Amino acid sequence: MATTSSAVLVEPRLIDMWDFPIPEIGPDAALLEVEATGICGSDWGPYNGTWMTELPPLVLGHEVVGRVVEIGTEAAYRWGVSTR
């Protein structure tokens, strides 16, 4: 199975690289290849351990730029995306 890597906050102030399996895409889903992720002020609290809505491990960042590399037929229709 193919994998991808991600920077994961494993405890406050400790980030490690983890490998994750790339999931199979169903007809109503898509796969985004992330090219850049923004880290903003709301990520500082989880990083330094002073504020967390979720406990580690977690992937910080939520401003994502990427490209769709695979899309199911139903998702393409619903989102108006060409599957050329």
Side-chain angles (χ1 to χ4, degrees), residues 66-78:
R67 58 189 178 87
V68 176
V69 294
E70 188 177 342
I71 190 166
T73 54
E74 292 175 26
Y77 176 77
R78 182 166 41 96

Side-chain angles (χ1 to χ4, degrees), residues 39-65:
I39 302 295
C40 75
S42 66
D43 294 308
W44 179 247
Y47 172 75
N48 68 23
T50 59
W51 175 77
M52 290 195 178
T53 57
E54 295 181 50
L55 296 176
L58 61 101
V59 176
L60 299 174
H62 49 268
E63 291 88 6
V64 178
V65 175

Side-chain angles (χ1 to χ4, degrees), residues 5-20 37-40 43-49 52 56-61:
S5 296
S6 213
V8 178
L9 179 69
V10 293
E11 63 182 62
R13 298 181 179 263
L14 179 61
I15 294 176
D16 196 11
M17 294 301 292
W18 287 12
D19 291 327
F20 294 93
T37 301
I39 302 295
C40 75
D43 294 308
W44 179 247
Y47 172 75
N48 68 23
M52 290 195 178
L58 61 101
V59 176
L60 299 174

